[in-house]
Amino acid sequence: MTKLKFVAGALLAATLVVPTTTAVATSAKGGGATAWTPAAGSSGRIAVKDGSRDGDPAKAEYRRKASPGTKRTLWNKNGPNTTAYSGSGSRIISFQACDVNYGDGDDCSGWKAP
C-alpha cells in the first residue's frame, strides 16, 4: 500500500510540475482571410492565410501587449492559399482577419482576443 501511495504521489507531482507546451490558437475569418494566434508556437506571432482567389490581398490587423494603442497590419500579398507570419514581439492581445476588396469595403471578422 505504501508503494502505491508513493507512485500515485509521484505521478501527481509530475503532472503539476511539467508545463503544458500546447497552446490553443484562436482564429478569426473575414471573407476569404483567416488569421490566428499564437502562430508558429509563439504568443507574440500572428499568421494570416489568403483563402480567396479574387486577386486581392488578405491582412491581419492586430495589437500587442507592449503597445496596445498601436494597430499593426500583417499583409499577405502572395496569392491564394499562402500564409504570412508576423515577426516576434510581445503577446498579441487583439486581432481581426480581413479580405481586402479594392474599390469596395473590406470583409473583416471583427476584433477577437486570444
Side-chain angles (χ1 to χ4, degrees), residues 5-91:
K5 286 181 182 177
F6 175 77
V7 171
L11 288 174
L12 178 62
T15 60
L16 295 175
V17 171
V18 177
T20 58
T21 58
T22 326
V24 177
T26 301
S27 65
K29 186 166 176 57
T34 305
W36 64 91
T37 189
S42 172
S43 63
R45 294 186 72 186
I46 188 167
V48 62
K49 180 176 182 176
D50 186 350
S52 69
R53 298 187 177 279
D54 61 5
D56 296 334
K59 66 181 179 178
E61 297 178 326
Y62 62 99
R63 291 184 169 87
R64 293 187 180 277
K65 183 177 182 181
S67 53
T70 302
K71 181 177 76 172
R72 301 168 188 273
T73 304
L74 170 63
W75 288 94
N76 183 347
K77 299 179 180 181
N78 298 320
N81 296 317
T82 61
T83 302
Y85 292 88
S86 73
S88 297
S90 66
R91 185 173 59 84

Side-chain angles (χ1 to χ4, degrees), residues 96-114:
Q96 68 178 354
C98 297
D99 188 6
V100 176
N101 295 309
Y102 290 130
D104 202 3
D106 298 342
D107 296 323
C108 294
S109 63
W111 289 90
K112 287 190 146 193

